[in-house]
Amino acid sequence: MKKNLFILFALLLSCGSSLHANWQMDARALKCYTPNHSGNFSLNAISAEVLGKIYTDNSKFPDLILKLDKWYPGARYYKYVRHDEKGVPVFEMAGEVELPFQSSNEGGSTTCIVQNGKDIKLFWYTIDTLNVASYNAERRVFIHETSVPFPKMRFKPKAMFVEPLGKQGYLLWYGAQDRWASPVPGNWRKGDYFPYDGAGIWRGKFSYMGLYCIELDDLFHAVTEPERISENPNEVLQSYCRLSDVSYGKQGNGIVTGSYLGGLYFYKQKGGGLRAEAKKYLVDTSGNALRHPGVWASPLSYPSADGESSDLIATCEGGIYFYHYTGKFTENGNPIYDYPVPLQENKPMLFGGSLPVPTVVDWDGDGVQDIVSGNSQGHILFFKNTGTDSEPKFTTPVSLQAGGQTIHVQPGYREDIQGPLEARWGYTCPTVFDWNGDGKPDILFSDSRGKHMILKGTEGTPLNKLEPEHPLYLYDLNMHGTWRCRPGVEKMGDRIVYITLDDQNQLHLYARIDDYNIEDLGKLTLKDGSYISASAAASGGTGRLKIDIVDWDGDGKKDLILGTCKHHYIPDNKNGLPGCLHSAQRRTEKSPRDTYKPYSLEDIKLQAPPYMDSSPEYNAAATILFMRNVGNDSKPVYEFPTQMYYKGERIKLGQHSVGVDAAMIGPITNGLPNLLVGDERGRFYLLERSELSW
């Protein structure tokens, strides 16, 4: 009995980080409902990486081992189930895999699985050391076997693949930088951090990476010196993210790799051994270079249906995708793949990509409420409800389009406030509302660019008929404020209001003038007249708040429900939630509102938030707050925020952000809404009011 309890406790710990303490909320995590019982693969982490594939029981198609990230450490075993009607592999999670290292960061992309017959080994690199472990299939554990010195080199490997050479010896392919990157001077979480100079040029220096190879004997000693096999030492910007062997039948074999910013490349081997042809892009059926949907493109070859060539399975932050090889090359030697589609999982959880930001709305006009949600990749997804409002059943999402193009916000070189290496994070934070009263839903959103935009609905099916994005204007200037905020949009009194964080990172009230213009109604305040600051770190630490306007307590006045990040201090740096819970004195779980004393704006500015506190007492986490309106809808005034609890436990959902929307779905109590919550892993939770307290 004690052994069983220990196993259960270990599994609970492996399900998430200590910041994801509400494991009992998993009972409220929504599942994906489809006729064939499969849906988009759910990562169970912000990002994950396929360590490798394993053939068992003489199967034609291998299983997968997936390593999760540093926030949700661990590894999972996914068994191959079938290919679906579109030819996409379907997997099912079959349990945990024990790795031979504690830190999920150890090895990183310099980790790979090699199978030679029934012998399965895990290779990973640590500082100047190549490590090897053998796989015990019965126990699903990798057992450390040996560690050997790695040949000295100026720059350590950033990606690695080990290729067996017959009965003994190996080729070790790896990527290495040509120089150290130079970051922008200063602290990226302080107010004097300026990523770009006066000409708009990034102030840091990029690093680049080339491809190298070493031949090892059966004792893992180097037979050859490290040799660069790529034409240049600066083949890709920043880094490769994974290397994998591929086979294209008569077209030849080689190495496929992905880059930090999402490029996908092929190096064709020639003559065996340590030689390769020039880098070639993987291309789509139009001949254009493929760009992975998200950052950190990490491809792994997977056998095609005919068993003669290599399809690809590739991870990134917020998703895992499948590339079908067409069986063709271009005249220039580029492998041609179909555009990527999400890998499929049997009986998955509903998955919205990392950092989802949901709104519940009847999007397709069928009388049942659906979900529209943003995510860190920059998409806006539509989840159709195939059930009812009281018993919703949401299906696999579809990417929304605007102006005939899939919505995919990408800040690129210049538009992200943290610099060009953040080019692939879109952080779309949408709110759906009939902004112009024409009966068709519109989408108002902010994102990683810090812009405030509208996607207007037009005649026809909303799914396909959104207009291209258009800015909102304030005083004839594009609306601005801190980034990654989901705006609160609602009718209050006789006007439609728009609430977001302004340039001072404080809650600000605006009102609609027309489709594209808003007016300034001033900062929101507490009942003592003090402003409401998000009070996180400066620069990239600002913003990030998710705002929902709703009459939560049923008193006829519109309140605020706030989804926070771990580092918010609302309404100020001295007493604000959730950040004030950093100290042992605050761990009583008692709300500061009972002893709250107002501070002036100058006092707030002088209080440096202890957001970098790494002490054992640090207890803050992304959470949900309630701010009661004690004024009226024409002139709202708010009480000090209170913490939301689920079944008596403080809601703790990681660190990056919580998306939240008050919604009339699920069992309804007293005619008042429940909460739909999106956590940083991409899961959605339907929390019933009867199980919440605040």
Side-chain angles (χ1 to χ4, degrees), residues 363 401-404 440-441 455-468:
W363 180 255
Q401 295 185 344
K440 296 180 285 291
L455 299 163
K456 286 176 58 180
T458 62
E459 295 295 339
T461 304
L463 178 62
N464 300 317
K465 297 293 184 180
L466 286 168
E467 292 184 0

Side-chain angles (χ1 to χ4, degrees), residues 161 163 165 170-174 211-215 224-231 235 246 251-256 266-279:
F161 172 72
E163 178 186 358
L165 292 177
Y170 297 87
L171 287 181
L172 191 151
W173 307 76
Y174 67 94
L211 186 63
Y212 296 77
C213 191
I214 303 174
E215 186 175 348
T224 63
E225 290 295 317
E227 180 179 344
R228 192 183 81 232
I229 65 169
S230 59
E231 287 189 341
E235 293 276 290
V246 286
Q251 301 282 4
N253 303 324
I255 297 291
V256 69
F266 170 60
Y267 291 91
K268 183 178 180 180
Q269 274 183 281
K270 57 181 180 180
L274 309 181
R275 302 179 65 191
E277 295 181 1
K279 175 190 72 179

Side-chain angles (χ1 to χ4, degrees), residues 160-219:
M160 186 176 75
F161 172 72
V162 178
E163 178 186 358
L165 292 177
K167 294 183 179 180
Q168 64 179 16
Y170 297 87
L171 287 181
L172 191 151
W173 307 76
Y174 67 94
Q177 292 174 330
D178 68 321
R179 65 183 183 191
W180 297 114
S182 298
V184 172
N187 187 325
W188 71 322
R189 283 292 186 263
K190 290 191 174 181
D192 60 354
Y193 179 76
F194 301 106
Y196 302 93
D197 65 18
I201 307 301
W202 186 52
R203 297 171 64 219
K205 290 185 178 180
F206 295 113
S207 63
Y208 295 84
M209 185 167 283
L211 186 63
Y212 296 77
C213 191
I214 303 174
E215 186 175 348
L216 308 173
D217 66 14
D218 59 346
L219 298 177

Side-chain angles (χ1 to χ4, degrees), residues 53-96:
K53 53 186 183 285
I54 291 179
Y55 287 90
T56 60
D57 305 324
N58 298 317
S59 59
K60 180 180 178 182
F61 296 102
D63 305 329
L64 301 179
I65 293 181
L66 197 71
K67 181 170 72 74
L68 308 185
D69 58 28
K70 64 181 180 181
W71 293 285
Y72 300 91
R76 306 284 189 271
Y77 192 98
Y78 287 87
K79 197 158 188 66
Y80 168 79
V81 177
R82 64 182 183 276
H83 280 66
D84 68 12
E85 62 278 4
K86 297 180 180 178
V88 181
V90 181
F91 297 88
E92 184 169 321
M93 211 263 275
E96 306 287 319

Side-chain angles (χ1 to χ4, degrees), residues 358-623:
T359 294
V360 176
V361 61
D362 179 10
W363 180 255
D364 56 5
D366 64 356
V368 180
Q369 295 193 85
D370 312 299
I371 297 174
V372 171
S373 180
N375 59 30
S376 71
Q377 283 187 9
H379 292 108
I380 299 180
L381 306 177
F382 163 58
F383 299 79
K384 182 176 177 59
N385 183 359
T386 60
T388 63
D389 285 347
S390 59
E391 296 184 6
K393 295 182 178 180
F394 298 103
T395 191
T396 303
V398 175
S399 294
L400 292 182
Q401 295 185 344
Q405 300 293 320
T406 298
I407 299 166
H408 195 189
V409 172
Q410 301 281 267
Y413 177 84
R414 183 68 198 281
E415 289 194 297
D416 191 287
I417 64 173
Q418 297 188 137
L421 293 180
E422 299 277 321
R424 298 304 311 277
W425 278 276
Y427 294 126
T428 41
C429 300
T431 296
V432 182
F433 189 82
D434 184 3
W435 179 248
N436 54 10
D438 64 357
K440 296 180 285 291
D442 309 301
I443 297 178
L444 299 105
F445 71 101
S446 181
D447 51 46
S448 63
R449 304 169 297 179
K451 294 181 175 182
H452 289 264
M453 313 294 283
I454 182 171
L455 299 163
K456 286 176 58 180
T458 62
E459 295 295 339
T461 304
L463 178 62
N464 300 317
K465 297 293 184 180
L466 286 168
E467 292 184 0
E469 67 174 19
H470 193 289
L472 294 179
Y473 299 110
L474 176 68
Y475 297 119
D476 303 320
L477 182 66
N478 299 59
M479 170 68 180
H480 52 93
T482 49
W483 71 331
R484 295 169 60 177
C485 288
R486 183 217 191 206
V489 186
E490 187 55 77
K491 187 172 184 180
M492 295 182 69
D494 58 357
R495 62 198 175 188
I496 295 175
V497 301
Y498 188 96
I499 297 176
T500 189
L501 291 173
D502 61 19
D503 290 354
Q504 288 75 47
N505 208 32
Q506 294 172 332
L507 284 173
H508 206 113
L509 181 65
Y510 306 91
R512 178 185 182 275
I513 296 175
D514 57 34
D515 289 2
Y516 305 122
N517 292 274
I518 58 177
E519 62 179 324
D520 188 349
L521 299 182
K523 294 179 186 287
L524 292 174
T525 68
L526 298 178
K527 59 185 180 181
D528 58 33
S530 58
Y531 297 147
I532 304 167
S533 173
S535 306
S539 300
T542 59
R544 301 168 183 259
L545 196 65
K546 312 301 184 275
I547 303 164
D548 190 34
I549 306 172
V550 62
D551 179 9
W552 178 253
D553 55 7
D555 65 356
K557 295 176 288 188
K558 301 287 176 62
D559 311 302
L560 298 180
I561 300 291
L562 304 177
T564 76
C565 76
K566 173 183 174 181
H567 305 309
H568 279 133
Y569 287 73
I570 300 170
D572 65 65
N573 292 342
K574 180 171 270 191
N575 291 290
L577 296 171
C580 73
L581 295 170
H582 76 281
S583 66
Q585 289 81 7
R586 295 294 186 187
R587 294 185 69 185
T588 61
E589 301 293 329
K590 183 178 180 181
S591 172
R593 88 183 264 188
D594 299 327
T595 56
Y596 175 65
K597 295 180 181 179
Y599 293 85
S600 69
L601 181 58
E602 291 305 312
D603 288 333
I604 292 173
K605 287 180 179 179
L606 292 173
Q607 296 292 333
Y611 66 93
M612 296 300 288
D613 193 337
S614 59
S615 66
E617 295 83 7
Y618 193 79
N619 199 32
T623 191

Side-chain angles (χ1 to χ4, degrees), residues 618-644:
Y618 193 79
N619 199 32
T623 191
I624 302 169
L625 305 178
F626 168 58
M627 295 193 74
R628 183 169 177 260
N629 182 0
V630 294
N632 55 58
D633 283 357
S634 297
K635 191 174 181 180
V637 176
Y638 298 94
E639 286 187 339
F640 194 94
T642 57
Q643 170 71 58
M644 282 280 192

